[in-house]
Amino acid sequence: MKTLLVTGGCGFIGSNFVRWQLQSYPDVEIVNVDKLTYAGNLENLTDIEDDPRYRFEKGDICDRSFIDRVLTSASIDAVVNFAAESHVDRSILDSGPFIQTNIVGTQVLLDASRKAEIGRYLQVSTDEVYGTLGDNGYFTEDTPLAPNSPYSASKTAADLLVRAYFHTYGFPAITTRCSNNYGPWQFPEKLIPLFISNALADQALPVYGKGNNVRDWIHVLDHCRGIDAALRSGKPGEVYNFGGNSELTNIDLTLKLLDALGKPRTLIRHVEDRAGHDFRYAIDTTKSEHELGWKPEMDFETGLHSTIDWYLANSAWVDRIRSGLYLDYYENQYGTRLA
Ligand code: NAD
Ligand code: TDX
């Protein structure tokens, strides 16, 4: 597995994956295709942009002739598809870009990769395709698909296309489904980086509803190791779940963040709940542990503190994002404009 085509490599998980691959495998070469939407940021990879094993191609995964050209411009061994619209709240405001990139983009990549006879394709998916859990139980790879948001519906449609390409054409595709990631370079619209950034600016932390919803947090590098394991030793046609064994209610996580930052609890604002808000996600990782030899390594307290340290040290990165269109999005979503 020498040359990888990574899509969405300028986003949060994709950029961590590209860096981790280059650090972990001296022989690997990476072509990174990214449209540079609001979430794509060339700054996420400035430290490796001059590495001769790395090449960036700006473009859209929905653009078939562009993808055909990239796939034939190098001898690509595998495609790893991170490119997506990824924020649930934005999908509630406008599902259009989610249908286009997450579904049509995946179909274009699958079709172009099949025609180019790519030896392996990995679809980076999410636990949200399984819907929601009550107080008990875990998602396994056999849990029925029951997406509840436009975002998760679009990711589910993409997963079903991947499944169909394997069954219809024998196309060697693998799907991975992961719980909530956290870590460096995460766009500050998602809970952890948003609340760190707001708290550091002494702005209110908007907790949806009572804050009793539960998420299972995994460090982004544990997710990257899982994707790598599935890519190298997973079986075509299979699905592999990853999770962090770190379930927390949103309000407990918020309190932890405020305590770690030395900020007062008076910053918490309970705001209107997210429409259709999934109550709980939790992952059974038995299959990935047994078949891929993978398990999460980062303890949540350690990972959270190192993430907070990263945001403290990279306030200029955050400040450049929290301007312009970001402020408009924030006002539209939360009804208040950031000062
Ligand atoms: P992100 O929003 O930070 O990054 C997405 C990247 O895709 C950006 O760089 C963006 O510019 C690029 N992109 C968007 N549309 C594109 C298009 N049409 N063509 C080319 N590039 C395009 O997202 P993320 O959090 O890094 O998530 C990456 C993947 O992992 C997504 O597929 C997401 O569904 C999945 N995932 C995310 C999480 C999580 O907790 N963040 C958990 C499980 C799965
Ligand atoms: O302002 C907020 N207030 C709040 O209470 C935000 C942004 C979120 N929340 C809650 C909603 C969720 O219960 O925090 C929890 C986490 O929210 P997000 O960070 O938006 O993540 P989530 O909706 O759980 O989805 C994430 O995990 C699965 C990623 O964004 C997806 O891309 C991934 O597939």
Side-chain angles (χ1 to χ4, degrees), residues 38-56:
Y38 78 91
N41 190 343
L42 285 172
E43 276 189 54
N44 295 6
L45 287 171
T46 38
D47 56 326
I48 58 96
E49 68 188 1
D50 293 328
D51 189 319
R53 297 174 296 149
Y54 172 76
R55 177 159 61 91
F56 174 64

Side-chain angles (χ1 to χ4, degrees), residues 121-140:
Y121 176 101
L122 191 140
Q123 178 73 5
V124 180
S125 187
T126 168
D127 60 357
E128 298 197 18
V129 299
Y130 299 122
T132 186
L133 292 166
D135 286 324
N136 301 304
Y138 296 88
F139 295 134
T140 73

Side-chain angles (χ1 to χ4, degrees), residues 114 161-171:
R114 185 174 78 86
L161 282 169
V162 173
R163 175 189 157 90
Y165 270 67
F166 173 73
H167 282 274
T168 306
Y169 307 110
F171 181 63

Side-chain angles (χ1 to χ4, degrees), residues 168-180:
T168 306
Y169 307 110
F171 181 63
I174 291 169
T175 303
T176 60
R177 297 183 180 140
C178 191
S179 65
N180 287 58

Side-chain angles (χ1 to χ4, degrees), residues 182-184 216-223 225 243-246 294-307:
Y182 70 96
D216 167 36
W217 296 95
I218 181 172
H219 192 271
V220 63
L221 290 182
D222 275 334
H223 186 193
R225 287 193 306 101
N245 296 326
S246 299
W294 172 92
K295 63 175 179 2
E297 288 175 0
M298 180 65 88
D299 143 80
F300 184 69
E301 295 291 331
T302 312
L304 190 66
H305 281 90
S306 73
T307 301

